[in-house]
Amino acid sequence: MAPTPQQPASAGGPVNGPAGHLPRFPAGFTFGAATAAYQIEGAHDEDGRAPSIWDTFCRQEGRVADGDSGDVACDHYHRYREDVGLLRELGVDSYRFSVAWPRVQPQGSGAVNPAGLDFYDRLVDELLAAGISPAATLYHWDLPQALEDRGGWRSRDTAHRFAEYADHVARRLGDRVPRWITLNEPFCTAFVGHAVGRHAPGTREGRPALAVAHHLLLGHGLAVAALRGTGAKEVGITLNPDHLLPATDSPADAAAVRRARTLHNDVWLDPLFAGRYPEHEAETWGPLADGSYRREGDLEVIGAPLDFAGVNYYRPLVMADAPHEEPDPHRRTAADIGVREVGMAGVRRTTMGWPVAPETFTDLLLDLDRRYPGLPPLVITENGSAEEDAVGEDGTVHDADRVAYLHDHLHALARAVDQGVDVRGYYLWSLLDNFEWGHGYRKRFGVVHVDYATQRRTPKDSYHWYRRLLADHRARTGQPPRSEG
Ligand code: IFM
């Protein structure tokens, strides 16, 4: 029987196994946890760090819930040793963190701030001493404000500045960091930041947002070349491809999904892994997608071979056709593509309001594998859930919903691997509760609870569950404790 539009195609038995039934992965599969600089570090004005676009955005009224900012966050800048201790106890093979560009190169170009690089130097050494392989993301949304003042990602020059910054970081840390991720979720930078306006810099633009997308890809390609030049071993990019389902089986909803797929996925995946610009961009954006921001040779730079593609996955999106907000196509924002998200029936939602549908994780991975024969091996660079968590009187956090989420999504991932998708590793999001962008500190994604008033860390039940999974994997596959990466 053909699946109905909202039904996952991979139906093959429930992924909800009994709590004790741990998912199984092949030998050599690696496990980690992820964070990002602005979300955890704090120390926003210490040791020469200059403001990023997120520091600016947080200071604008009404942008972030409760007027919060990453000024202090989890104070990881000062408490990184304790946090690496938590990672060591968790038993991860690898830790994915991001480097704050405005710490390393406060003006986004020119002079490097040695004290900024020193912090990552100390962090990397601490990780290695704990037997954990570092995985560094170079850009997780914190563009130096000085560069934004010169046009930010709208300007082609920023792509070149990014490559220069990548080179500085890799020259300092490359002898000890085996895995490099150029960009995290460029979709969010380009469209949530420049078309929806919910992320920094918070603008609602048309063609300039498409230029931003292109310049991010170009910056990625140039950074890959810079990283290769320093002898970097494993280089990739992290995307957040969406699993898009039509609300009904009408042709209009099918077209809505096609446009949404162009915006969410094809903009990134096609140039990176298929050597082309997206097939349906004219249908999606009309005159905005005039390609005026592209130059000959860009596709070759962007499509430089990668060692892995990072995939962040949290939830599916159900899309319906909807009238454009702005009738004049020349004045639309790049996010106004005539679609609307509709709820997914009959499933639980996390505190982000995201539907929990783990089967769609399998479906997404199978779909990517089928659509892009040129994909390198995949690494899941983020997956997790925000839940209502509180430290109980017994001093523990019983986050059963998160345990179920992780359990079901890891089973869904194992199912994709069993069906032949080449996935090499998984990073849980996130090690710590942290600054969840426009939601401030209201959403908790961590497997470790953070009391922001005292900075006390409390491992949740999900931390202990993940620890058990990693220990089971090692015992079963004979994998030595923590790989070299
Ligand atoms: O917290 C974010 C992260 O910075 C990027 N990926 C999604 C996470 C949860 O929203």
Side-chain angles (χ1 to χ4, degrees):
M1 196 177 76
T4 59
Q6 284 204 32
Q7 255 178 7
S10 73
V15 284
N16 288 301
H21 169 47
L22 294 170
R24 296 185 163 201
F25 292 88
F29 192 91
T30 59
F31 291 95
T35 62
Y38 191 71
Q39 296 180 271
I40 65 165
E41 284 179 1
H44 71 109
D45 58 358
E46 278 183 50
D47 298 335
R49 181 188 181 277
S52 74
I53 53 173
W54 269 94
D55 296 86
T56 307
F57 189 72
C58 291
R59 279 161 181 70
Q60 294 167 359
E61 212 183 315
R63 294 294 207 176
V64 175
D66 307 318
D68 280 332
S69 74
D71 285 6
V72 179
C74 306
D75 195 30
H76 171 79
Y77 190 75
H78 301 112
R79 294 167 197 262
Y80 71 92
R81 285 197 181 84
E82 181 183 353
D83 295 335
V84 172
L86 286 162
L87 288 162
R88 190 187 52 234
E89 279 305 302
L90 188 54
V92 293
D93 303 297
S94 177
Y95 171 54
R96 177 181 173 227
F97 61 96
S98 83
V99 177
W101 190 347
R103 231 182 248 300
V104 169
Q105 226 182 355
Q107 299 309 310
S109 62
V112 168
N113 172 32
L117 273 176
D118 287 350
F119 168 67
Y120 298 104
D121 207 74
R122 293 193 293 276
L123 174 64
V124 164
D125 284 347
E126 191 75 14
L127 288 165
L128 293 174
I132 299 167
S133 182
T137 303
L138 287 162
Y139 186 73
H140 200 122
W141 307 351
D142 42 1
L143 187 74
Q145 181 62 42
L147 279 187
E148 177 65 19
D149 296 341
R150 288 171 12 216
W153 288 107
R154 295 168 210 80
S155 159
R156 191 176 168 97
D157 183 61
T158 297
H160 292 278
R161 301 289 68 78
F162 179 61
E164 184 183 281
Y165 150 73
D167 180 69
H168 287 307
V169 180
R171 280 190 196 287
R172 179 71 183 270
L173 305 178
D175 56 335
R176 286 153 295 150
V177 173
R179 180 173 279 177
W180 293 92
I181 295 166
T182 55
L183 305 174
N184 179 73
E185 299 181 6
F187 167 82
C188 293
T189 302
F191 298 122
V192 187
H194 295 79
V196 180
R198 231 180 334 105
H199 278 185
T203 53
R204 292 170 54 78
E205 305 176 52
R207 188 177 291 105
L210 296 178
V212 166
H214 183 68
H215 296 150
L216 282 160
L217 284 167
L218 183 66
H220 154 81
L222 294 168
V224 171
L227 289 164
R228 298 278 186 223
T230 67
K233 289 196 195 112
E234 247 191 288
V235 180
I237 185 170
T238 280
L239 304 176
N240 53 332
D242 272 306
H243 191 66
L244 296 147
L245 299 163
T248 70
D249 52 16
S250 72
D253 286 350
V257 164
R258 198 163 53 239
R259 295 195 297 278
R261 187 179 298 122
T262 303
L263 170 81
H264 289 251
N265 297 356
D266 300 357
V267 167
W268 318 105
L269 291 159
D270 285 12
L272 285 165
F273 305 119
R276 59 171 185 245
Y277 293 116
E279 191 182 344
H280 301 291
E281 60 181 359
E283 176 189 341
T284 306
W285 288 294
L288 299 184
D290 64 4
S292 52
Y293 33 81
R294 294 175 182 150
R295 293 204 192 147
E296 214 182 313
D298 285 358
L299 260 188
E300 286 67 44
V301 175
I302 295 167
L306 296 178
D307 303 299
F308 68 94
V311 169
N312 292 354
Y313 189 72
Y314 291 89
R315 48 94 185 90
L317 287 176
V318 181
M319 292 298 189
D321 185 44
H324 288 281
E325 285 164 27
E326 164 61 64
D328 178 352
H330 292 275
R331 293 177 40 186
R332 282 181 198 148
T333 75
D336 183 2
I337 56 167
V339 304
R340 115 188 116 83
E341 192 192 338
V342 299
M344 192 179 212
V347 298
R348 188 179 81 78
R349 287 176 175 268
T350 69
T351 62
M352 294 292 282
W354 295 348
V356 179
E359 307 86 351
T360 61
F361 192 14
T362 317
D363 294 342
L364 171 83
L365 295 169
L366 291 172
D367 193 50
L368 289 176
D369 196 51
R370 185 179 56 78
R371 275 178 202 269
Y372 294 97
L375 263 188
L378 301 180
V379 174
I380 307 307
T381 38
E382 286 180 28
N383 172 246
S385 73
E387 308 291 352
E388 253 359 304
D389 300 321
V391 182
E393 283 184 3
D394 60 354
T396 61
V397 182
H398 299 305
D399 56 339
D401 283 339
R402 183 175 293 101
V403 171
Y405 180 100
L406 294 174
H407 174 273
D408 291 351
H409 281 78
L410 278 152
H411 270 286
L413 174 59
R415 193 168 283 178
V417 174
D418 287 348
Q419 290 179 48
V421 185
D422 187 0
V423 187
R424 305 280 175 92
Y426 173 93
Y427 292 84
L428 156 162
W429 183 270
S430 179
L431 173 68
L432 302 169
D433 290 339
N434 59 49
F435 175 77
E436 179 55 24
W437 308 111
H439 300 278
Y441 295 96
R442 289 188 185 179
K443 309 292 177 194
R444 293 181 176 273
F445 273 94
V447 293
V448 174
H449 181 276
V450 177
D451 178 334
Y452 296 111
T454 62
Q455 291 295 348
R456 188 189 161 92
R457 274 82 162 133
T458 307
K460 305 178 189 176
D461 285 356
S462 53
Y463 175 97
H464 300 294
W465 179 85
Y466 195 54
R467 186 167 185 263
R468 191 157 66 83
L469 169 73
L470 273 45
D472 174 77
H473 175 73
R474 288 218 175 83
R476 221 176 18 78
T477 60
Q479 205 161 311
R482 299 187 190 100
S483 74
E484 289 299 295

